[in-house]
Amino acid sequence: MKTGLVVGIDAGGTKTRAFAVDRAGEVVGRGAGGGANLLSSSDPQGSIGAALKEALGGRSAEAVVLSAAGGDRKADRERGRELLARVAPAGARLLVTHDAIAALYAGNPAGCGVVLIAGTGSIAYGRNEEGDEDRAGGWGHLIGDEGSAVWCGLEALRAIAHAVDGRGAPTMLTELLFQELSVGEFADVLQHLYGRPHPAPAITAATRALSVAAAQGDAAANNILQRGATALARAANVVALTLGLPGGPVYLAGGAFESLPLLQKLVRLELLGVLPQASVEPVREEPAMGAARMAMELAWSTR
């Protein structure tokens, strides 16, 4: 099958994006779907299929690469491949991989360097020119994901709980959260937190409140973002030094850097301290483009 097209799909916790590209690397089709986290989304196959169908617009493809959180674990990778096989064009080469490597390819077409992701979750992943790989973090919101949007939201909720109880200092986060959720007291927040799909509305509302409070100089908000930035930079540092990449480059990716501008500024400062030789820059392409570049290698590379 020679169609001259491949597709890269980025399956996130809240949205799925697909890019169809030709041999020149030009995007010739785009598609979108709902959340497709292989562990927590209600219908990952439906979301992946919808995005893929829209991107192809009735055309076929020589290869399809699906990047998803958990794609580095064998069981999740096999499940992802089963889902992808049900919706992919017949005869297409298929690959399921993790979202961090797709983000790295989005930053660098050669797939080399360190990518630091702070989105719904967080992880540092790197790959050097010899093909060696390493990672730090990415263990999920219950035991890790420091500096991610969910971690920041949960830390904000903890700070508010402490302030309401008198166990912590007052913070403008409290009133901002109440406004976000249209509630009058903290007890009313719990219905927006427990028993809800992840991430719960209270967590995302707290993350938005955190952004506003940090911009206004709230001490509790700034402390949360500083701790998150320190943890993120530490993860990138471990990966960079393990792979012999003290000069990076380090690519920043993920919605938390966009929704929490101070977090990105603090991470840059922390990276300057631990990796003074490294260049730091944002990933300028979407992760789906990184997955598409991997699909191009899968279909057409002569290596």
Side-chain angles (χ1 to χ4, degrees):
M1 177 183 63
K2 300 293 183 181
T3 66
L5 293 181
V6 298
V7 180
I9 306 171
D10 175 57
T14 57
K15 64 179 179 180
T16 299
R17 296 277 285 166
F19 283 3
V21 304
D22 60 19
R23 282 182 172 268
E26 294 295 323
V27 178
V28 297
R30 302 171 189 263
N37 185 292
L38 299 178
L39 289 178
S40 61
S41 296
S42 59
D43 183 19
Q45 180 178 317
S47 296
I48 292 166
L52 178 60
K53 182 178 180 181
E54 184 180 1
L56 283 173
R59 298 165 292 188
S60 192
E62 295 184 47
V64 180
V65 170
L66 170 67
S67 69
D72 54 339
R73 296 187 292 268
K74 183 179 179 181
D76 293 339
R77 189 166 59 247
E78 290 177 350
R79 179 165 185 259
R81 185 177 176 85
E82 290 174 2
L83 298 181
L84 185 59
R86 294 175 191 152
V87 297
R93 296 182 181 181
L94 305 180
L95 175 67
V96 177
T97 188
H98 56 95
D99 52 351
I101 191 170
L104 181 56
Y105 268 85
N108 182 342
C112 295
V114 178
V115 64
L116 182 57
I117 301 175
T120 303
S122 69
I123 189 172
Y125 166 81
R127 180 173 176 269
N128 60 24
E129 292 182 356
E130 290 72 40
D132 301 321
E133 300 175 276
D134 192 41
R135 56 166 280 175
W139 302 117
H141 70 284
L142 292 179
I143 59 173
D145 282 352
E146 295 87 353
S148 69
V150 167
W151 181 89
C152 288
L154 287 170
E155 289 298 302
L157 288 168
R158 291 187 180 101
I160 295 167
H162 284 209
V164 167
D165 286 347
R167 293 179 289 155
T171 167
M172 65 175 62
L173 285 167
T174 306
E175 185 59 33
L176 289 169
L177 177 68
F178 290 179
Q179 291 174 10
E180 285 280 350
L181 294 176
S182 299
V183 300
E185 58 183 42
F186 193 62
D188 295 331
V189 172
L190 302 186
Q191 63 182 312
H192 300 281
L193 178 61
Y194 296 107
R196 295 298 191 99
H198 177 72
I203 297 175
T204 55
T207 304
R208 292 193 297 270
L210 181 65
S211 180
V212 175
Q216 297 182 31
D218 182 76
N222 288 340
N223 176 265
I224 290 168
L225 293 181
Q226 181 61 66
R227 289 189 287 116
T230 300
L232 287 168
R234 186 181 298 124
N237 181 51
V238 166
V239 172
L241 296 185
T242 298
L243 295 175
L245 296 171
V250 179
Y251 300 99
L252 305 182
F257 288 131
E258 299 171 11
S259 60
L260 298 164
L262 181 58
L263 178 66
Q264 181 171 166
K265 179 180 178 180
L266 293 171
V267 165
R268 286 179 175 275
L269 290 173
E270 290 289 325
L271 287 171
L272 183 63
V274 296
L275 292 170
Q277 303 174 51
S279 64
V280 181
E281 58 186 274
V283 172
R284 304 188 189 281
E285 301 276 7
E286 292 191 47
M289 188 64 203
R293 286 170 174 163
M294 296 179 71
M296 293 175 69
E297 285 190 1
L298 182 63
W300 303 318
S301 176
T302 57
R303 291 186 296 176

